[in-house]
Amino acid sequence: MNSELIDVVVTGREEQADGVAVFELSRKDGDLLPAFEAGAHVDVHVSPEIIRQYSLSNAPGHGTSYRLGILKDPASRGGSIAIHENFNVGHELQISEPRNHFPLNMSGESSILVGGGIGVTPMLTMAYALKAEGKSFEFHYCCRSRSSAGFLAELQSEFAEQLHLHFDDEGDEQRFNPEQVFGAYAEGKHVYVCGPTGFMDWVISTAEETCSYPKDNVHFEYFNAEVDNHGSAFEVVAEQSGVTVMVEDGQSITEALATVGIKVDVSCEQGVCGTCLCDVLEGTPDHKDHFLTDEEKEDNDQIVVCCSRSKTDRLVLDI
Ligand code: FES
């Protein structure tokens, strides 16, 4: 999962809404940054110990800057708080090249983009891409209040025709009703959603179960997730290292492996980014991540070891 790191500098910072700051990053050497597609994110090396994933939010393509919208999360495990405290203009850091686990299907007939809170950021890149191609789309932005809605002025000026705003503290008539918005599935319709976990679960289940959209037409990216490491203890064999360790109730596989000196690269530690993905040689994983697709989970030949567990007493990993 490693890609070459890029040395960048913060060249712009703007406080846009309650707790939301927008950062512009440019290469230290002034060159163009690698091109990116709608839905892409970068790994931000906040400090040597903290790596976090953030979606890009500017118009996709090739340019001299990337733009990130970052919410200062009171429940932060250190990432967003450190960014808000330290990432001022002139601050130097490293980021990965853009990666895309949330691509836009440009052959779709129509797209419904749904951003919940700061989950609006990947939707912005998608809206820019769809608009540039003259594609049909709706953009639904759901927030607690207007004062918490980042990028509001930009959305209203760039996507006036497609934008629908939904605020928790305003009238019932403007509340987001996914069943009504999605309607019955028709071929070529696609839904894209990013936002808090509970909000996404609601949107995804409405699209798939209530409105009968095929799974392939419902696209999503989780940016954080609850991790529950509880469950029966099991044995993990690290085949390459020749080491066996017990993973106890309340412990992750990565934590158990660390106790015997095996370090697995991790980043989000929430089953979202895929950094800790390992091949499974024997045993059946109990998948708890939001990274692998349903099909990949059914194959049972890979596991996200920061959060998943085992359905069998023994799991042999190719590490
Ligand atoms: S570290 Fe991100 S999925 Fe495990």
Side-chain angles (χ1 to χ4, degrees):
M1 299 293 299
N2 291 326
S3 61
E4 202 173 315
L5 293 178
I6 307 168
D7 293 313
V8 296
V9 59
V10 178
T11 47
R13 171 175 178 153
E14 186 187 349
E15 313 304 317
Q16 280 219 351
D18 298 343
V20 176
V22 176
F23 300 89
E24 185 183 85
L25 307 178
S26 304
R27 280 185 85 115
K28 263 175 75 177
D29 59 15
D31 281 355
L32 286 174
L33 285 158
F36 69 97
E37 294 176 346
H41 70 273
V42 290
D43 291 348
V44 174
H45 290 242
V46 183
S47 69
E49 302 78 32
I50 302 176
I51 304 169
R52 295 287 181 268
Q53 291 70 41
Y54 291 102
S55 298
L56 300 174
S57 65
N58 44 327
H62 217 165
T64 54
S65 65
Y66 292 153
R67 191 179 61 166
L68 310 176
I70 299 178
L71 172 69
K72 186 175 179 179
D73 181 358
S76 164
R77 293 168 299 133
S80 69
I81 288 177
I83 289 173
H84 274 255
E85 284 176 359
N86 302 323
F87 282 25
N88 296 309
V89 171
H91 179 81
E92 296 179 1
L93 67 145
Q94 289 187 310
I95 59 172
S96 70
E97 294 182 357
R99 291 204 294 264
N100 198 354
H101 300 149
F102 192 30
L104 186 58
N105 183 334
M106 292 301 284
S107 63
E109 286 295 314
S110 65
S111 303
I112 302 171
L113 310 180
V114 184
I118 198 63
V120 73
T121 49
M123 299 305 154
L124 270 157
T125 61
M126 292 184 177
Y128 277 116
L130 291 163
K131 186 178 173 189
E133 293 291 315
K135 293 282 190 177
S136 165
F137 70 100
E138 291 177 18
F139 194 143
H140 293 264
Y141 185 16
C142 308
C143 274
R144 289 195 324 278
S145 62
R146 280 177 196 270
S147 64
S148 68
F151 301 101
L152 193 53
E154 176 178 334
L155 288 164
Q156 287 172 317
S157 79
E158 292 286 340
F159 308 109
E161 283 176 30
Q162 297 89 0
L163 185 64
H164 302 263
L165 296 170
H166 310 277
F167 298 112
D168 292 350
D169 63 351
E170 295 192 14
D172 287 346
E173 71 291 344
Q174 52 85 59
R175 290 283 162 80
F176 182 57
N177 179 335
E179 189 174 349
Q180 209 170 62
V181 167
F182 301 156
Y185 174 68
E187 201 172 330
K189 278 172 86 172
H190 290 259
V191 168
Y192 298 83
V193 59
C194 184
T197 306
F199 173 81
M200 290 180 62
D201 291 345
W202 172 55
V203 170
I204 293 164
S205 67
T206 304
E208 292 180 354
E209 290 159 29
T210 312
C211 301
S212 303
Y213 279 58
K215 282 185 183 298
D216 285 352
N217 292 51
V218 181
H219 313 265
F220 47 86
E221 183 168 61
Y222 286 87
F223 58 76
N224 56 33
E226 294 291 315
V227 176
D228 178 5
N229 280 325
H230 291 287
S232 304
F234 55 96
E235 188 177 77
V236 162
V237 179
E239 181 78 2
Q240 289 178 31
S241 313
V243 173
T244 299
V245 66
M246 283 303 290
V247 181
E248 304 293 346
D249 179 17
Q251 189 179 37
S252 69
I253 297 177
T254 45
E255 286 167 351
L257 288 169
T259 65
V260 289
I262 299 177
K263 184 174 178 300
V264 179
D265 285 342
V266 292
S267 177
C268 71
E269 296 179 77
Q270 293 183 308
V272 170
C273 71
T275 303
C276 65
L277 194 66
C278 293
D279 287 338
V280 176
L281 302 175
E282 275 179 52
T284 307
D286 184 6
H287 298 287
K288 293 176 178 285
D289 65 280
H290 293 287
F291 177 75
L292 293 170
T293 63
D294 288 348
E295 293 72 29
E296 287 168 335
K297 286 177 181 170
E298 277 166 24
D299 289 344
N300 283 327
D301 58 0
Q302 297 180 97
I303 183 170
V304 168
V305 289
C306 67
C307 64
S308 293
R309 300 185 68 79
S310 180
K311 289 182 176 166
T312 45
D313 293 341
R314 186 168 180 265
L315 207 53
V316 182
L317 305 180
D318 191 16
I319 51 176

